[in-house]
Amino acid sequence: MSGTAQSFVPTPLIFTDAAAARVRALVIEEGNAALKLRVYVTGGGCSGFQYGFDFADNLNDDDTVIENGDVAMVIDPLSYQYLVGSTVDFEEGLAGARFLIKNPNATTTCGCGASFTV
């Protein structure tokens, strides 16, 4: 009944159009329509936890899938609990091009925005 648990999530993650456009461009570049953005949280980083991004074309049974048009982002259940209510975005600027997470659950973040504390 993992599908049932997913329907009770109070605040979903937001997968912005900018992030979806970047994933879409990578799907086209790789020629793999099954490619998805995998977002995860690991221990470490200068603030306790750090965000990770990867591309995967497979899903685990307990992954949460969030779609934006024809592309998707997937999150494992352990990471999801730290990311509820967050926005996954993509930006290009002086610091380069990168995926980033705006996480309302984070009490502190590091200067680079790659790690956080809850």
Side-chain angles (χ1 to χ4, degrees):
M1 295 187 64
S2 64
T4 303
Q6 291 175 1
S7 65
F8 290 99
V9 175
T11 308
L13 273 81
I14 298 167
F15 184 26
T16 68
D17 291 343
R22 181 62 181 151
V23 173
R24 191 171 297 110
L26 290 168
V27 164
I28 293 167
E29 186 178 308
E30 294 293 320
N32 182 354
L35 206 60
K36 296 164 187 54
L37 175 65
R38 180 169 290 283
V39 180
Y40 58 93
V41 172
T42 60
C46 48
S47 293
F49 294 101
Q50 62 186 13
Y51 302 116
F53 301 95
D54 197 5
F55 288 93
D57 54 9
N58 60 336
L59 286 175
N60 299 321
D61 290 340
D62 55 357
D63 282 338
T64 296
V65 179
I66 298 170
E67 296 178 333
N68 182 324
D70 58 345
V71 295
M73 169 176 71
V74 295
I75 303 103
D76 65 88
L78 187 61
S79 298
Y80 195 96
Q81 65 185 334
Y82 295 108
L83 297 171
V84 169
S86 296
T87 298
V88 177
D89 201 1
F90 182 79
E91 71 173 14
E92 293 184 74
L94 295 175
R98 63 184 180 146
F99 286 100
L100 62 114
I101 296 178
K102 297 170 187 153
N103 187 343
N105 306 307
T107 56
T108 59
T109 59
C110 67
C112 64
S115 68
F116 67 103
T117 304
V118 289

